[in-house]
Amino acid sequence: NKPQAMELNMPKKVNEPEEQTDVADCQVMNILLDTLDQVWYYEGLSVAGLQKTTFAGDGGIRNEILKKQKELAKSGACVYPAGNKRAGQPRDFIVLIKMMKGARYNNMVGILDEMDITGTKIYAIQEPDPIEVEAVENGGSVKSFAQE
């Protein structure tokens, strides 16, 4: 078996706000990998509707990714705005991958495999936000921020 490596593309540094990529709530899926080999996910930029799944081929995270991709491709509601060179076209799908403290390396490999299998072209690995950590620890609900 010959080892294979994935190509790593880093985003270019931008200094001007108008050069930054405009990311819409409708094009983002967040995936959190926890210490119990569970996969948590939610759509959008704010922690809402956090759900739990697995890496199972049937009904796992792959199905959720494919469902979101299909929804983005068909929906006329999530398109680039006027003034953008891609105005009116469906926005690109973006996955934000976040490893909880103590999550296993094997799960990171698993989710990167899912990015490849599903053809997800734009994804990033980030640290989870404190609110995401709280939500996972509370079984999917955000308690301390609920009063705000």
Side-chain angles (χ1 to χ4, degrees):
N1 283 338
K2 184 178 176 185
Q4 293 184 354
M6 292 179 72
E7 184 179 337
L8 176 64
N9 294 311
M10 299 297 287
K12 75 174 192 174
K13 291 222 181 241
V14 293
N15 297 321
E16 303 300 320
E18 55 273 358
E19 291 180 23
Q20 293 180 347
T21 304
D22 171 39
V23 176
D25 212 45
C26 59
Q27 74 185 110
V28 177
M29 176 181 272
N30 292 270
I31 298 176
L32 297 104
L33 307 172
D34 78 6
T35 57
L36 301 173
D37 296 334
Q38 296 174 342
V39 182
W40 296 84
Y41 69 96
Y42 65 95
E43 296 179 19
L45 299 172
S46 58
V47 184
L50 188 64
Q51 297 181 55
K52 182 170 46 171
T53 189
T54 65
F55 282 109
D58 242 4
I61 192 64
R62 183 180 308 162
N63 284 359
E64 298 304 322
I65 293 167
L66 292 171
K67 186 167 64 174
K68 179 67 177 175
Q69 288 173 332
K70 190 180 287 186
E71 175 188 311
L72 256 179
K74 286 185 176 181
S75 170
C78 192
V79 296
Y80 287 100
N84 185 297
K85 64 183 176 187
R86 294 177 60 193
Q89 294 179 20
R91 286 182 176 263
D92 295 318
F93 180 49
I94 299 172
V95 175
L96 303 178
I97 302 166
K98 303 170 186 188
M99 299 279 291
M100 306 295 285
K101 186 174 180 161
R104 295 182 331 127
Y105 176 77
N106 188 43
N107 291 334
M108 175 59 75
V109 172
I111 200 63
L112 291 175
D113 282 347
E114 293 299 333
M115 296 298 102
D116 188 43
I117 291 166
T118 60
T120 301
K121 304 252 184 283
I122 304 172
Y123 57 90
I125 300 168
Q126 302 179 337
E127 290 291 320
D129 292 327
I131 191 169
E132 292 169 322
V133 173
E134 177 188 340
V136 169
E137 288 173 352
N138 291 326
S141 64
V142 182
K143 295 180 179 173
S144 70
F145 294 90
Q147 295 117 359
E148 295 178 11

